[in-house]
Structures are given as C-alpha cells and as structure tokens.
Amino acid sequence: MNQLLAQALAEHEEAITKSRLDVRVTAPEQPLYASVDGQKWWRLLDNLILNATKYSLVNSRVYIALSEQSGEIVMTIKNVTRYELGDGRIAGATAAIHRGRLKGRALALRLRSSLSTCTGGR
C-alpha cells in the first residue's frame, strides 16, 4: 500500500503543485501489504487525491496517514475544505448517499465507500 500511495501522489504531483497544497504523508518505513485489486484501489486513491486538489483550501495542508492497527491497514486523508460545508450540506450529502439519489461528489463518495467495503475496508 505504501508503494501504491507513493505512485498515486507522484502521478498527481503537477495537480498538487498547481493547487498549492502541502501534502504531508505519514507512513511506516516497512511496507504494508494488502490483497486488493490494484486497479480499483488505484482508482480510489486517484479520486481521493484529485478531490483534495480540487476542493482543499489553497495554500493549505493535506495530511495522509497510512498505518497498521490491529492487523488492518488504515489510511486517513484530512484536508481543510475550500468551501464552508455547514451541517445542512453535510446532512444533505449523507442523505443523498443513503437514498441512492447521487450526483457529482456524492456519487464519488458512494463509489469510494462501496469499493472500500467490498474489499474489506471501512
């Protein structure tokens, strides 16, 4: 997983630089291995990184942490959003995801969630 994350970040280096983000990665020195569909996980990482470049506050940091906890690989991505979300927008997106009425980012969120769940993630 370390290598897949590093490759995804290298692939999007130009977009990250253009969006003036400081990406901070925390990962163990030793490789973390997972039996996953590499193409699907590549698409997942691709989408998450692209969304960070599109929707993060300019000149802010994006934190990506990769670790192993209780025998599971945990990846966390945190950023400061460019636009204020507010409780109503978050609740609306969550409700749309659960109702299956999806557009744009909500659809991408559902796809990421489904892919993660199908491969044993949360």
Side-chain angles (χ1 to χ4, degrees):
M1 292 302 285
N2 310 49
Q3 187 177 5
L4 190 60
L5 175 60
Q7 288 174 345
L9 288 169
E11 181 75 23
H12 295 294
E13 186 175 351
E14 185 177 329
I16 291 167
T17 301
K18 186 177 178 181
S19 59
R20 297 190 308 242
L21 296 174
D22 181 10
V23 177
R24 307 265 176 113
V25 177
T26 305
E29 291 289 325
Q30 73 279 7
L32 295 176
Y33 297 100
S35 296
V36 298
D37 182 321
Q39 288 181 330
K40 289 180 181 173
W41 272 89
W42 171 260
R43 289 182 62 201
L44 175 70
L45 290 173
D46 177 62
N47 188 266
L48 290 169
I49 293 167
L50 283 176
N51 279 352
T53 64
K54 289 179 186 177
Y55 304 114
S56 293
L57 183 65
V58 175
N59 292 321
S60 66
R61 293 182 189 99
V62 175
Y63 295 94
I64 303 174
L66 186 62
S67 64
E68 185 175 357
Q69 298 173 9
S70 302
E72 295 182 340
I73 295 175
V74 177
M75 184 182 313
T76 306
I77 299 178
K78 297 179 182 180
N79 66 305
V80 177
T81 183
R82 185 177 296 183
Y83 309 103
E84 186 174 340
L85 295 176
D87 291 339
R89 290 181 78 181
I90 293 171
T94 303
I97 289 168
H98 290 294
R99 285 193 310 268
R101 297 182 189 151
L102 307 169
K103 293 182 182 175
R105 289 185 300 233
L107 178 58
L109 287 171
R110 180 62 179 195
L111 291 172
R112 287 193 302 262
S113 176
S114 294
L115 175 60
S116 296
T117 301
C118 288
T119 57
R122 288 181 265 140

